[in-house]
Amino acid sequence: MRALIVSTLVAVAQAVASLDEVCTTAYAQSILPEDGIITGITFDASSVVASATTNYSSASSDFFPAANFDFCAIQFAYSHAGLDDTVLLEFWLPSPVNFQNRYLSTGGGGMAINSGNDSLPGGVQYGAVSGITDGGFGSFDNEFDSVFLLANGTVNWPSVFMFGYQAHHEMTVIGKQLTRNFYGMADSTKLYAYYQACSEGGREGWSQIQRYDEWDGAVVGAPAFRFAFQQVAHLWSAAVEKQVGYAPPPCELTKILNLTIAACDPLDGRTDGVVSRTDLCKLHFDLKTTIGEEYSCAASSGGMGSSAAPAQTGKVSAKAVEIAEAILNGPKNSKGQQMYFSYQPSATWSDAQTTYNSDTGEWEVEASGIGAEWVTRFLNLLNSSSLSMDDVSYDAMQTWIMEGWQMYEDTLQTTWPDLSTFHGAGGKVLHIHGESDYSVPTASSVRYWDSVRSVMYPDLSFTKSADALNDWYRLFLVPGAGHCSPSSDQLNGPFPQTTLKTLIEWVENGVFPTQLNATVLQGDNEGEEQTLCAWPLRPLWTKKGTVMECVYDQTSLDTWSYDLDAFDLPVY
Ligand SMILES: *[C@@H]1O[C@H](CO)[C@@H](O)[C@H](O)[C@H]1NC(C)=O
Ligand SMILES: *[C@@H]1O[C@H](CO)[C@@H](O)[C@H](O)[C@H]1NC(C)=O
Ligand SMILES: *[C@@H]1O[C@H](CO)[C@@H](O)[C@H](O)[C@H]1NC(C)=O
Ligand SMILES: *[C@@H]1O[C@H](CO)[C@@H](O)[C@H](O)[C@H]1NC(C)=O
Ligand SMILES: *[C@@H]1O[C@H](CO)[C@@H](O)[C@H](O)[C@H]1NC(C)=O
Ligand SMILES: *[C@@H]1O[C@H](CO)[C@@H](O)[C@H](O)[C@H]1NC(C)=O
Ligand SMILES: [Ca+2]
């Protein structure tokens, strides 16, 4: 009986069934992949829930435009032999008439392995079945850090591997087969598989590209990879403030930021409030020129996530500028050796934010939340997210980087530079990163692109190897953008909202993305269409700021590469 229903429904699905005909729990149960699809995995058929939504209105996001569509949501659980675990998956499947032989995995941000239903519309609107995983963390809302420790001192290692790369691999393998089964696709029909996510989701994307050939293409934004360095580096700004012995009021840092943007905006050839060339800013702008400039900010009552602050007025001090310079020069140990690199000038001073103590009337240095949690929970294995800045010396940071690097080299670090498997199968990558990112240094993506280039094309010149890599892995820096989104400090900056569409065009129709489409999503120029230059070319506006060219500028490129001489091993 079941077999009959299944074969009838599969035929129906193939023959363009309505959503209601196929979006039933019984049908979803019948098309679950077989347990053996991955060794040791057992599906729980009783966990399957299917529900149809018609004319769903998905709002415009930074990574996809607004759209209306119908979909079937299918959720179910599986477990791993020998572990008493439950891993939840959810897929949104386009109605059969809109399905375009595509599958999309999506990822998380921060300590989350998924973005809930925020990321799923990005695929469904292009006729792709789109998936999220809960990593086995208890629910789609539970984050990795809440399950990482079994007790103080005892790591839940399976959760580390799941977050590191395993859960995403399983989701893709299962999701692709589920897609084939649901629509009754013939084996001979190509199913295109994609990925799209930013930040931690960008790292999750690279975790797969570095190991598997399961996707035809991936959009990876501002990946939080080189994890051991990335997380400790969040503490650098506050460590500098401690060392200098000054806790600048936020208004003073914002004034320095505003003056930096104003001075560096025109260096790219177009005065539009956007610093498209932070490298020229590094080369030509002297932060010391801001000393003595007056700043003034009104009192704020605080609210969601920010504490109340009094009115702040004063003049930019030499100490604040000393701090700003040291932050931008990047983490160095007490011998002055470079441990990592920092954000670009024009990035918001996010890690440097001080807090106001209303009892003492003083501003106080505060550890970045994610940096603090990294050290306390993930290195010291204590069930807490706090860290005293008194414990954070420059050399302690180096020790923490080494410790995290060794402990998580095979799970979270995510900088394996040989992508032969993925490339050999014809995989393509569009990697984007905000030029003014305040959370993951833009230079981090540049360094990884360059590591892949030099590891995979060791015998070619820089130009030839860059060309060879750019045939299938392209990096686009996004002028004026912050972390995975446009910046409120540089309203006229463009953002590449249709990158997945570009990737699909490239993979399926061979449309090569020489430059990347981007649109101004806010401010006076909202709707203006621009394009982004592929690394290592850099944007330069000519003809009085009306035409953007992509130029090769060695002096600028040199500002993006760092000799991390604090470490003897290569840092990819
Ligand atoms: C779908 O929803 C939009 C509003 O989001 C509405 O304008 C449109 O008429 C609806 N279409 C159908 C077929 O119901
Ligand atoms: C999306 O997630 C939110 C929050 O979890 C939920 O309220 C909403 O119903 C979800 N929408 C759909 C279409 O699943
Ligand atoms: C960690 O602390 C949280 C809240 O403080 C508590 O709910 C949780 O059970 C603790 N976890 C462990 C493994 O101790
Ligand atoms: C910085 O610039 C923004 C946007 O132009 C403005 O709203 C803000 O008041 C300025 N802040 C300071 C401290 O000058
Ligand atoms: C685990 O460590 C945290 C942070 O030091 C501490 O607050 C908590 O009491 C410890 N839990 C146990 C069971 O000792
Ligand atoms: C990029 O923009 C151009 C010009 O608007 C347009 O013709 C092209 O279709 C866009 N490409 C993609 C993939 O959206
Ligand atoms: Ca500009």
Side-chain angles (χ1 to χ4, degrees):
M1 182 60 190
R2 182 176 127 150
L4 183 65
I5 293 175
V6 172
S7 59
T8 309
L9 285 172
V10 165
V12 169
Q14 256 172 317
V16 189
S18 74
L19 187 66
D20 284 342
E21 283 172 291
V22 285
C23 195
T24 67
T25 296
Y27 180 59
Q29 281 170 330
S30 74
I31 54 97
L32 281 188
E34 299 193 356
D35 289 344
I37 190 166
I38 295 169
T39 305
I41 276 187
T42 306
F43 293 100
D44 176 3
S46 73
S47 69
V48 177
V49 180
S51 65
T53 301
T54 49
N55 200 24
Y56 180 69
S57 223
S58 132
S60 162
S61 106
D62 296 331
F63 284 84
F64 47 85
N68 278 7
F69 51 78
D70 301 341
F71 69 94
C72 178
I74 297 182
Q75 210 185 91
F76 56 91
Y78 66 91
S79 62
H80 297 100
L83 281 178
D84 189 17
D85 67 347
T86 303
V87 186
L88 291 175
L89 294 176
E90 179 167 331
F91 297 96
W92 283 15
L93 300 96
S95 57
V97 277
N98 293 327
F99 176 60
Q100 296 186 57
N101 297 343
R102 294 176 187 139
Y103 168 81
L104 177 80
S105 275
T106 69
M111 288 288 158
I113 195 169
N114 68 71
S115 303
N117 55 29
D118 289 346
S119 56
L120 295 166
V124 181
Q125 65 177 270
Y126 297 121
V129 170
S130 306
I132 53 174
T133 174
D134 85 336
F137 305 155
S139 86
F140 289 106
D141 296 331
N142 276 17
E143 303 195 355
F144 171 49
D145 54 350
S146 73
V147 297
F148 165 76
L149 286 177
L150 296 172
N152 287 351
T154 304
V155 175
N156 175 6
W157 281 108
S159 77
V160 179
F161 286 91
M162 286 296 275
F163 190 68
Y165 61 89
Q166 188 187 340
H168 268 282
H169 180 54
E170 291 171 354
M171 168 163 66
T172 300
V173 171
I174 295 166
K176 285 168 71 172
Q177 190 59 49
L178 184 86
T179 301
R180 287 190 167 280
N181 295 354
F182 186 86
Y183 299 99
M185 287 177 74
D187 287 350
S188 57
T189 304
K190 168 79 179 165
L191 173 64
Y192 290 99
Y194 299 103
Y195 182 80
Q196 174 163 268
C198 202
S199 193
E200 159 56 24
R203 186 202 65 75
E204 290 158 19
W206 278 115
S207 78
Q208 306 299 291
I209 298 164
Q210 291 165 4
R211 289 176 172 83
Y212 310 111
D213 61 0
E214 61 203 9
W215 300 330
D216 296 284
V219 176
V220 278
F225 57 12
R226 213 172 293 101
F227 216 76
F229 292 70
Q230 163 67 27
Q231 308 304 11
V232 173
H234 272 300
L235 297 168
W236 173 244
S237 299
V240 168
E241 289 169 342
K242 273 281 182 190
Q243 175 88 11
V244 172
Y246 178 58
C251 187
E252 188 175 14
L253 289 176
T254 302
K255 182 70 186 182
I256 295 174
L257 174 69
N258 284 1
L259 292 168
T260 303
I261 293 173
C264 295
D265 168 13
L267 298 178
D268 56 35
R270 186 192 193 203
T271 303
D272 57 355
V274 179
V275 183
S276 299
R277 290 292 298 279
T278 59
D279 41 29
L280 294 177
C281 190
K282 267 190 132 161
L283 289 166
H284 301 298
F285 178 60
D286 183 356
L287 280 163
K288 290 193 178 67
T289 59
T290 65
I291 294 173
E293 294 288 332
E294 287 185 11
Y295 62 83
S296 171
C297 296
S300 65
S301 55
M304 293 271 288
S306 69
S307 47
Q312 302 153 54
T313 50
K315 289 184 175 168
V316 173
S317 63
K319 278 198 166 164
V321 168
E322 183 185 348
I323 287 168
E325 285 179 333
I327 290 174
L328 293 184
N329 286 338
K332 295 183 187 204
N333 64 19
S334 63
K335 294 191 202 112
Q337 294 167 317
Q338 195 87 34
M339 299 190 285
Y340 207 45
F341 32 76
S342 190
Y343 313 114
Q344 297 295 112
S346 76
T348 308
W349 303 102
S350 174
D351 288 343
Q353 289 304 302
T354 52
T355 49
Y356 186 68
N357 182 331
S358 53
D359 294 336
T360 61
E362 303 279 340
W363 291 92
E364 292 176 352
V365 175
E366 196 178 18
S368 118
I370 196 154
E373 180 172 38
W374 174 251
V375 171
T376 301
R377 186 183 305 279
F378 291 92
L379 299 180
N380 295 338
L381 308 185
L382 295 169
N383 186 21
S384 155
S385 302
S386 63
L387 179 74
S388 163
M389 278 312 299
D390 295 338
D391 299 331
V392 184
S393 69
Y394 294 178
D395 291 342
M397 288 181 60
Q398 177 158 356
T399 306
W400 289 329
I401 290 172
M402 274 306 298
E403 208 178 315
W405 191 1
Q406 292 185 316
M407 195 165 170
Y408 302 105
E409 164 71 30
D410 60 341
T411 49
L412 306 178
Q413 183 72 353
T414 328
T415 47
W416 191 271
D418 175 6
L419 309 178
S420 301
T421 302
F422 182 84
H423 173 49
K428 300 193 165 33
V429 185
L430 292 173
H431 179 161
I432 64 165
H433 203 133
E435 180 120 7
S436 303
D437 195 315
Y438 52 83
S439 182
V440 178
T442 314
S444 168
S445 283
V446 169
R447 186 180 192 86
Y448 181 70
W449 178 92
D450 206 57
S451 296
V452 175
R453 181 194 61 76
S454 58
V455 166
M456 291 188 70
Y457 302 102
D459 301 328
L460 299 183
S461 67
F462 177 82
T463 314
K464 289 221 161 86
S465 57
D467 285 349
L469 184 57
N470 276 330
D471 272 347
W472 57 276
Y473 164 19
R474 298 175 77 71
L475 168 64
F476 295 92
L477 303 190
V478 188
H483 185 55
C484 297
S485 70
S487 164
S488 55
D489 306 319
Q490 302 178 60
L491 294 174
N492 295 330
F495 203 81
Q497 193 190 33
T498 53
T499 311
L500 180 57
K501 183 168 174 236
T502 302
L503 180 68
I504 290 170
E505 288 285 312
W506 188 16
V507 166
E508 298 180 20
N509 301 323
V511 181
F512 187 74
T514 306
Q515 293 177 20
L516 189 62
N517 284 3
T519 311
V520 178
L521 297 175
Q522 56 181 1
D524 294 343
N525 299 352
E526 187 174 340
E528 184 190 6
E529 294 190 5
Q530 297 189 16
T531 56
L532 310 182
C533 300
W535 186 265
L537 300 183
R538 304 261 56 220
L540 189 66
W541 291 85
T542 59
K543 305 214 169 27
K544 296 194 162 52
T546 57
V547 176
M548 191 204 65
E549 292 175 27
C550 296
V551 301
Y552 188 89
D553 179 344
Q554 190 63 55
T555 312
S556 283
L557 295 189
D558 290 345
T559 68
W560 292 88
S561 73
Y562 293 80
D563 176 13
L564 301 184
D565 60 342
F567 301 96
D568 294 331
L569 285 172
V571 181
Y572 293 119

